[in-house]
Structures are given as C-alpha cells and as structure tokens.
C-alpha cells in the first residue's frame, strides 16, 4: 500500500485541475463541491490504508521512502520528488485529509450562492495539496515547495472577498509576514546544507540522510544559528511572537477557510517542521530555550487579547495563536510527542469551534437579512439565547469549548496537561521550568474564561437581535451540522489515545499509545537527551497529580468567573470597563502591536518607497532621462535649420567647407 502514497497529494491536485479549468462552465454547485470534497475523501481513504499498514509493522520498520523521480541533480547533490512515510507523516496526512474533508463538505452548504464558488473549491483543493506535499516531502526542498504553497493559498483564500479592502489588506499582510519567516527558513536550509557538505562532504537535504548524519553536528554554535533560522520560519507559518499578527486578520476569509488554516493545515506547519527535524533542534539548547519562552509568551499574550474581543471569529483566532503557543512550549522543552499530540486534538476541537461559529454566523446573517437589519452577524453582543434555536451547533460547540478549556475526560485535557507537566519536569531549563509551567497554567485559565465567555454571550441569556430577526433564526442544514457532529465526537474521544502514564497506572497500566506510536520519529533526540542531558531531580507521581489538579482548578476558576460575569451578573463587565477604560482599550486594541509595527516597520517602508518613487525615480532617474531628451531636442532644434531643402544653401555650405579646409592646410 505504501507505493500508492503519491495518490494522496494527487487527488486534490486533480480537483484543482477540474474545478480550476472547467468549474466556471460546470456552474452546478453540487458537482463542483462534490468533486472538491470527493478528491480529499479519496486521499483520506488512501491515508487510512497507509496508517493501518504502518501500525501492522514493528516500530523499527515504520519507515518507507518512495522516490517518484529525480527533480534536481547537480554533481553529488540530488533532490527528488519523493515521499516519506513514518508515524509522524502518517498522522499528519490523517489530520489534513480527515479534517480537511469535513471542511470541504461543510463548505458546500456554507458557501451556497457565493460568487466564484468554483474558485473557492479550486483554492481549497490547492491548499490541501500544498499541505500534503509539505508533510509528505522527504526532503527540505520539497517541504519548502509545500511551505510556499500553503502561503500562496492563504493569500488567495483570506483575500477571497477581494472586493473588500479589509480582505485584500489581510491577504497581503499574511503574505508579507510569511515571507519574512520564509527567508529565515531558506537561510536555515542553506546553512545546514553548506555546513554538512563543507565539513563532512555530505551534500544532502533528505530527512532520513540528515537524521543519520545528525551525530556529526556539534552541540550549539552553528547548529544554534541553523535552528534559529528554521524557528523564524516557524514563527511566521505558525503565528508566534513576533510574526503572529497576520492570523487574527485571516478571519476576513470565509469561515471554513479559517477552520482549514487554524486547525488542519497552515498553522501546524511550523510545529510539524520542528518535530520532523527534532534531531537537529535537540542539539541547540539555546534555541530550545528561545522556543519555550516564545511559546509560553505567545500563549499568555494572545489569551489576554481574547478576553476583550467581541467578534466571535476573532476570539477563536486569538485562541488559535495561544494554543499554538502551547505546542511550541512543548517543542521547546523537548516534549515533541506532546506538542504533536496537542496539534492533533487541537485540530479536532478548533475545527469544530470555527465551523460552529460559521453555523452561528450563517443563521445570524440569514435572520438579519430577512429583518433588513445591518447589525454585524459576527458580533457576540448581538447574539444570545441561540442554544434553543440551534441545538446541534450548541452541543458540539459546548463540548469543543470544554475540550479546549482542559476539563478532564475531553481531548484537550490530555494533551494540555501533558504539555504543562513536561514544562515543569523537563531536564533542560532548570528553575525556569517553574515559570514556564506557571505561565502555561495561567494561560489555560484565561482560555477557559474567554471561551466560556464566548459560549455564554452567544448561546445563553436573551437574544439581543430584533424580534423580527429572531423569528428567522434556525439550525443550519445537515451538510453543515454533520461535520460539526463528527468533530464534536472527536473533540471528546480524540485524547484517549494519549492517556498520561500517571492516569493509565490507575486504570491497570494503560500505556500512552500516542507516545509509543511516535517513538521511532523521536528516538534520536531521546537517545541524545539520555546521554547528554543531566536529570537533576526525579518527580513523584503525587507531584504530577497535584499539578494536574491545580491546572484543572485554574480552568474551573476561569469558567466560574465567566459564568459569574455573563450569566449571574451580566452588568459587571460594563462596570469593569468603565472603571478601567485604559486597560480595556489596550486589550481590545490588541495591546497596540499592529500600531507599533506600523510605526516601526510599515510606515518607514512606505516612506522609503515614497522617497524612492518621488525623490529618486522622479527627480534623479526621470530627471536624467528627461534631461538627455531635452539636450538632444535643443541640439536638434539648432541643427534642423541646416536641413533647409534649398540647393543653393547646400552649395554655399559646401563652398564654405572647402574654404575652411584649404585655409587649414595653407596656414597650419
């Protein structure tokens, strides 16, 4: 079955070709959406077959490479169009195709009647193809092609409503900020390739060959530079400080696009890249520290912003930035499996949350349109009481919210708790571990607060739209609610494949299946850690239980505060805002980071551009060109009188010329 792995990216590419070339002529939405969805479903079926085949093999044999053809060859260097199957890539293709298929299916109902329906599904299939190329590529160059592909597709889909200036600006912002990160990625590739080739004559960018040569890399030094460059690329793709500001603006695209970007594809690319190259990152302790600190800072910083937003999609966007911070915190403390685990569970509940918000927006837009109201259908201040109108959306949204809040029994609890425990107990960062755990726990508390604030404002209390509009509120069609139910189910049960050891021992020694599954991928880094990292303390199970209980208690406190403020005493938030207007304004305006970037980078770049245009181009370049033209015209204006057209003038000129020549020879 492994030899058919090339079918996985091929199916979405076929959808791109069919809908891209013939979609405008087909016109039928069901056919266009059906083609786009079935292509991804076909990839999902092949991915399932590969995963089952992989699981049937012993762990040491779970590696397969398929080189389709040689792409670039120069001397001893060769880059193939090749695919790598191992536990990590198999997991990623399951997430991308499985969640991606549900988003495609959802889009058939959500995008009904939209202008450019075929264009939307073309872009969506291209996005899926690019992400599959990224996670299946067996070398850095092919990964970079997929890396750039998802960047292009994010630009196209975020700016899908290109007639809106805000959408166009958001698309450009995502594109430009990702180019900054991609420059770092390329520097990392070039430096790694040069170092191994120059020093050890190993000219390769193949992941398997790089892992075999990883023992040649020194600890720190050049490896720190290489990994920092790669991490810069990850901060762009996965929206970490300082390159995170594009992701909240990405909500300008259609809601299913937000689900695809935030849950299944683009933003997970940076986490996947670090996991794929763990054998290099483990040799750069300084970089690991930077990753852990940036991840923790992003988690808490984005969480604070989410507490004051009123746009339902913007709250979820900052939630994504914060949750990605948790994943990078895991990577930075060497808990690669825990980071990938949270990537998977996050894909389930965040896709459900975004699609659930789309269901709410779909119903609100329909109701407000019939009431001829111009209220914003995404503003939670216009919602309320929707649980009785939209029961399926409410239940699936609620279970996903419980999951992201980290309540025991739901998927998010298992992955979040594993990250917090590893942040506390890892042997890499010494006493800083306590700070990392504390920041993560507080960020989890903020997450519980703002997510239940969203639930209470949207689904509880009195509906705050006009009675006429309220009568038109209804549950979304089955093509929208079916993906919600599947994802809601996964948000509940998806974490049971990674039950922490301390909990598994209580239930008869249940192993952490997820960690065991990924063990071959991270074996090199784990062996390196055992040999070179000194473990200063052994932590007891009682301590782990205590920290687990504390993090759950913090989450419960966050939920309780949200309940008190938005259900019991809904007047308190307005009083708090009035009492602390400066603080609320700062949080609501995202701590003015966009304004700071405008001041430091955007406006100076614009000023430089204006100078190069009006100062250099117009004055100097155009001045030189126009000056040469004017001088030429001046000379020609004088010389044109010589060409009079009269024969006697030409004869006189010739006579004068002869006199001058004769005089020259007589008197020289």
């Amino acid at each position: 079955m492994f030899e058919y792995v090339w079918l996985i990216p091929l199916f979405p590419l076929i959808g791109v070709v069919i809908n891209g070339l013939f979609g405008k002529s087909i016109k039928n939405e069901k056919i266009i959406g059906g083609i786009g969805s079935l292509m991804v479903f076909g990839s999902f079926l092949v991915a399932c077959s590969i995963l089952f085949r992989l699981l049937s093999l012993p762990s040491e044999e779970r590696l397969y490479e398929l080189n389709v053809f040689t792409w670039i060859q120069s001397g001893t260097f060769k880059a193939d169009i090749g695919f790598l199957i191992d536990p990590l890539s198999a997991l990623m293709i399951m997430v991308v195709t499985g969640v991606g298929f549900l988003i495609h299916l959802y889009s058939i109902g959500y995008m009904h009647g939209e202008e450019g329906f075929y264009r939307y599904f073309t872009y969506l299939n291209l996005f899926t193809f690019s992400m599959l190329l990224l996670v299946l590529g067996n070398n850095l160059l092919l990964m970079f092609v997929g890396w750039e592909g998802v960047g292009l597709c994010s630009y196209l889909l975020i700016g899908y409503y290109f007639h809106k200036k805000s959408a166009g600006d958001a698309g450009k912002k995502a594109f430009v900020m990702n180019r900054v990160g991609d420059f770092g990625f390329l520097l990392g590739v070039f430096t790694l390739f040069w170092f191994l080739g120059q020093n050890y004559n190993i000219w390769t960018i193949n992941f398997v060959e790089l892992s075999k040569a990883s023992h040649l890399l020194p600890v720190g030094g050049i490896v720190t530079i290489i990994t920092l460059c790669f991490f810069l690329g990850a901060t762009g793709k996965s929206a970490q400080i300082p390159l995170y500001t594009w992701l909240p603006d990405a909500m300008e695209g259609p809601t299913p696009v937000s689900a695809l970007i935030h849950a299944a594809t683009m933003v997970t690319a940076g986490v996947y890249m670090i996991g794929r190259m763990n054998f290099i990152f483990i040799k750069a302790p300084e970089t690991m520290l930077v990753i852990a600190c940036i991840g923790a800072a992003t988690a808490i910083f984005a969480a604070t912003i989410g507490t004051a937003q009123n746009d339902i999609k913007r709250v979820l966007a900052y939630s994504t930035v914060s949750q990605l911070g948790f994943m990078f915190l895991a990577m930075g403390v060497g808990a690669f499996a825990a980071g990938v685990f949270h990537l998977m569970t996050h894909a389930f509940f965040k896709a459900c949350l975004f699609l659930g918000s789309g269901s709410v927006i779909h119903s609100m837009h329909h109701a407000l349109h019939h009431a001829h109201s111009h209220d914003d259908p995404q503003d939670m201040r216009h919602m309320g009481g929707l649980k009785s109108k939209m029961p399926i959306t409410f239940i699936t949204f609620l279970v996903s919210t419980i999951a992201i809040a980290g309540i025991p029994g739901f998927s998010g609890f298992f992955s979040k708790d594993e990250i917090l425990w590893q942040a506390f107990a890892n042997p890499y960062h010494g006493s800083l571990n306590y700070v990392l755990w504390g920041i993560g726990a507080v960020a989890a508390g903020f997450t519980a607060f703002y997510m239940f604030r969203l639930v209470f404002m949207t689904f509880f209390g009195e509906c705050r739209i006009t009675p006429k509009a309220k009568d038109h509120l209804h549950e979304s069609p089955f093509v929208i609610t079916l993906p919600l139910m599947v994802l809601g189910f996964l948000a509940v049960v998806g974490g049971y494949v990674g039950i922490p050891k301390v909990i598994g021992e209580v239930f008869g020694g249940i192993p952490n299946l997820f960690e065991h599954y990924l063990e071959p991928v991270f074996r090199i880094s784990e062996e390196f850690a055992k040999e070179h990292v000194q473990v200063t303390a052994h932590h007891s199970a009682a301590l782990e239980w205590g920290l687990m209980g504390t993090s759950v208690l913090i989450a419960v406190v966050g939920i309780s505060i949200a309940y008190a403020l938005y259900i019991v005493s809904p007047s308190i938030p307005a009083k708090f805002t009035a009492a602390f207007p400066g603080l609320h304004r700062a949080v609501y305006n995202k701590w003015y980071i966009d304004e700071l970037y405008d001041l430091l980078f955007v406006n100076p770049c614009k000023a430089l551009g204006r100078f190069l245009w009006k100062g250099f181009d117009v004055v100097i370049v155009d001045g030189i060109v126009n000056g040469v033209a004017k001088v030429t015209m001046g000379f020609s204006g004088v010389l044109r009188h010589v060409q009079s057209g009269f024969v006697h003038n030409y004869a006189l000129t010739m006579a004068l010329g002869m006199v001058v020549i004769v005089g020259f020879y007589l008197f020289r």
Side-chain angles (χ1 to χ4, degrees), residues 309-494:
Q309 304 306 307
N310 296 314
D311 187 301
I312 188 172
K313 287 176 64 177
R314 191 172 288 275
V315 174
L316 295 176
Y318 279 104
S319 169
T320 299
V321 177
S322 181
Q323 294 301 306
L324 288 166
F326 277 97
M327 298 176 208
F328 278 95
L329 172 59
M331 295 297 178
V333 300
F336 300 110
V340 176
F341 187 27
H342 197 58
L343 183 157
M344 182 189 75
T345 60
H346 177 264
F348 299 151
F349 56 69
K350 184 52 63 67
C352 187
L353 288 168
F354 260 110
L355 297 185
S357 72
S359 179
V360 170
I361 294 167
H362 182 269
S363 182
M364 287 287 294
H365 179 78
H366 174 80
L368 293 172
H369 175 74
H370 277 79
H372 305 289
S373 173
H374 298 288
D375 289 340
D376 185 356
Q378 296 182 195
D379 194 326
M380 296 184 297
R381 291 171 295 185
H382 299 149
M383 301 176 188
L386 297 184
K387 67 176 183 177
S388 59
K389 300 285 186 177
M390 310 179 70
I392 297 176
T393 300
F394 166 66
I395 293 171
T396 55
F397 202 100
L398 180 62
V399 297
S400 297
T401 301
I402 296 172
I404 196 175
I407 300 302
F410 293 77
S411 63
F413 163 75
F414 298 104
S415 55
K416 181 212 71 173
D417 181 74
E418 186 66 18
I419 291 173
L420 290 178
W421 170 245
Q422 294 290 346
F424 183 90
N426 79 89
Y428 299 100
H429 306 311
S431 58
L432 187 62
N433 288 349
Y434 308 136
V435 178
L436 294 174
W437 179 89
I439 293 174
V442 173
F446 273 109
T447 300
F449 168 76
Y450 68 69
M451 285 305 303
F452 271 88
R453 169 182 177 265
L454 185 158
V455 169
F456 294 145
M457 290 182 68
T458 303
F459 295 100
F460 288 79
E462 291 294 326
C463 189
R464 292 178 288 276
I465 57 177
T466 63
K468 184 178 180 181
K470 191 187 305 183
D471 293 337
H472 292 281
L473 289 170
H474 57 80
E475 183 60 273
S476 299
F478 183 69
V479 72
I480 289 179
T481 57
L482 176 61
L484 291 178
M485 289 185 281
V486 175
L487 290 167
F489 174 75
L490 291 173
V492 176
V493 305

Side-chain angles (χ1 to χ4, degrees), residues 455-582:
V455 169
F456 294 145
M457 290 182 68
T458 303
F459 295 100
F460 288 79
E462 291 294 326
C463 189
R464 292 178 288 276
I465 57 177
T466 63
K468 184 178 180 181
K470 191 187 305 183
D471 293 337
H472 292 281
L473 289 170
H474 57 80
E475 183 60 273
S476 299
F478 183 69
V479 72
I480 289 179
T481 57
L482 176 61
L484 291 178
M485 289 185 281
V486 175
L487 290 167
F489 174 75
L490 291 173
V492 176
V493 305
Y496 286 92
V497 295
I499 297 176
K501 181 180 178 182
V502 69
I503 297 178
E505 289 176 350
V506 175
F507 295 95
I510 299 175
N512 189 325
L513 298 176
F514 192 86
E515 189 175 287
H516 177 71
Y517 167 75
L518 288 177
E519 186 179 354
V521 181
F522 305 126
R523 180 174 292 129
I524 294 176
S525 59
E526 289 175 359
E527 291 175 353
F528 176 85
K530 289 177 181 177
E531 294 177 6
H532 296 86
V533 180
Q534 183 178 0
V535 179
T536 57
H538 294 279
H539 302 285
S540 66
L543 177 61
E544 185 172 355
W545 277 109
L547 293 176
M548 186 187 305
T550 302
S551 66
V552 172
L553 179 61
I554 292 173
V556 171
V557 169
I559 297 171
S560 301
I561 294 173
Y563 181 79
L565 295 182
Y566 293 95
I567 298 296
V568 178
S569 302
S571 61
I572 293 180
K575 294 178 181 178
F576 180 86
T577 301
F580 302 97

